[in-house]
């Protein structure tokens, strides 16, 4: 820390220079995959011999889904917004019809930073992924792993809407090439190119939905997008 402080002063207190220094360092760019030596010397990673796998925070998950679907609005500032809330959540309010006045429907696309917080009506996606309790101070955010997280990501209104928008995005980009759509879905969700095995597996999955389940091409692609948004590679920083 002393060295970083000295370097910060030398760089005329430039935060951009400090960020560049940290993020290009070998420590910051460590892999989370341990080598044999690291496992032997530091099995619990107490010495930080490798990157600690981190799940995205609740707000980051919501924003990442909007980004993958191409809907995320990046403008900065403005009042808080009240995007649509599931009917099941609104039903728990003493005033279901007036407790949560939805603002512009497009506000669902704003970053989670701007979503209004009402203690008695919390967004289910944010809540299940360990949103800070608005009733108490939160000096540290913890990440839990529980079944309701998977259920929310598979069955929740927000996740399914984003999957549909995700499918529409890649359909518009590749209207006549299913393999290109699949590759683009995986690329947008994981920030890497899809492997041949992943392409083949996805083609088989989509074909099965169309031939056995009677889904149309768009619906089948939407289901594939939903599954992709549930990948650990999407939800965790590796």
């Amino acid at each position: 820390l002393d060295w970083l402080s000295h370097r910060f002063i030398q760089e005329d207190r430039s935060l951009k220079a400090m960020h560049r220094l940290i993020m290009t360092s070998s420590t910051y760019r460590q892999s989370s995959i341990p080598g044999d030596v690291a496992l032997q010397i530091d099995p619990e990673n107490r010495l930080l011999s490798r990157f600690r796998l981190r799940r995205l925070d609740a707000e980051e998950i919501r924003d990442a889904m909007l980004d993958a679907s191409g809907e995320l609005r990046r403008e900065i500032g403005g009042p808080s917004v009240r995007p649509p809330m599931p009917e099941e959540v609104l039903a728990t309010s003493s005033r279901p019809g007036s407790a949560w006045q939805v603002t512009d429907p497009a506000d669902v696309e704003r970053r989670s930073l701007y979503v209004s917080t009402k203690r008695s009506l919390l967004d289910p996606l944010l809540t299940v992924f360990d949103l800070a309790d608005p009733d108490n101070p939160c000096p540290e955010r913890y990440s839990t792993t529980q079944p309701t997280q998977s259920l929310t990501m598979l069955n929740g209104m927000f996740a399914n809407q984003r999957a549909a928008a995700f499918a529409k995005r890649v359909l518009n980009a590749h209207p006549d090439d299913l393999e290109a759509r699949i590759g683009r879905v995986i690329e947008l969700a994981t920030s890497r190119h899809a492997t041949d095995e992943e392409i083949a597996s996805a083609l088989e999955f989509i074909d099965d939905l169309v031939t056995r389940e009677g889904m149309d091409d768009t619906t089948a692609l939407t289901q594939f997008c939903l599954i992709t948004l549930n990948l650990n590679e999407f939800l965790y920083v590796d």
Side-chain angles (χ1 to χ4, degrees):
L1 288 177
D2 288 341
W3 183 85
L4 283 175
S5 299
H6 182 67
R7 181 65 179 266
F8 181 59
I9 295 173
Q10 285 183 322
E11 297 284 352
D12 294 326
R13 293 180 169 81
S14 170
L15 291 176
K16 181 177 289 187
M18 180 58 61
H19 292 161
R20 184 184 299 111
L21 173 68
I22 293 173
M23 290 187 288
T24 57
S25 68
S26 59
T27 301
Y28 187 88
R29 294 182 294 167
Q30 283 186 125
S31 169
S32 62
I33 302 174
D36 294 336
V37 175
L39 280 176
Q40 182 178 2
I41 298 176
D42 187 24
E44 297 182 3
N45 201 27
R46 292 184 177 181
L47 303 177
L48 302 181
S49 59
R50 55 192 177 275
F51 180 79
R52 287 180 177 172
L53 194 66
R54 180 181 76 84
R55 199 203 70 207
L56 298 177
D57 287 335
E59 296 89 345
E60 292 172 327
I61 291 174
R62 182 180 181 277
D63 289 356
M65 294 169 71
L66 286 166
D67 187 51
S69 65
E71 300 171 286
L72 185 64
R73 287 169 50 188
R74 300 177 181 274
E75 63 264 32
I76 298 174
S80 62
V81 298
R82 291 186 175 185
M85 186 79 74
E87 293 295 332
E88 296 82 359
V89 177
L90 293 175
T92 64
S93 172
S94 58
R95 297 180 294 113
S98 58
W100 185 264
Q101 296 297 320
V102 175
T103 50
D104 187 336
D107 286 339
V108 71
E109 302 165 2
R110 293 217 66 188
R111 292 173 56 203
S112 305
L113 171 69
Y114 299 105
V115 175
S116 179
T117 299
K118 185 177 177 65
R119 289 182 296 175
S120 59
L121 285 175
L122 296 175
D123 183 279
L125 175 69
L126 299 180
T127 303
V128 78
F129 280 103
D130 309 304
L131 178 70
D133 183 359
D135 288 322
N136 298 291
C138 183
E140 183 176 358
R141 187 81 70 91
Y142 295 99
S143 292
T144 63
T145 302
Q146 49 184 309
T148 48
Q149 293 169 348
S150 295
L151 293 173
T152 301
M153 288 294 291
L154 286 171
N155 303 323
M157 177 183 72
F158 185 84
N160 279 271
Q161 289 174 342
R162 302 293 71 74
F166 198 177
K168 182 179 179 180
R169 177 184 184 180
V170 296
L171 273 169
N172 290 337
H174 305 283
D176 302 313
D177 191 337
L178 179 56
E179 287 192 26
R181 294 177 209 159
I182 293 170
R184 186 59 174 154
V185 168
I186 293 175
E187 182 180 3
L188 288 170
T190 64
S191 299
R192 61 168 177 79
H193 295 300
T195 65
D196 292 340
E197 291 79 9
E198 288 172 326
I199 296 289
S201 178
L203 286 170
E204 183 179 351
F205 171 73
I206 292 175
D207 181 69
D208 189 60
L209 291 180
V210 172
T211 57
R212 294 191 181 187
E213 303 298 330
M215 293 184 184
D216 58 70
D217 293 340
T218 302
T219 304
L221 182 62
T222 299
Q223 292 302 305
F224 173 67
C225 289
L226 182 63
I227 289 176
T228 306
L229 294 177
N230 278 267
L231 293 175
N232 279 345
E233 198 171 353
F234 177 77
L235 296 170
Y236 286 80
V237 177
D238 188 348

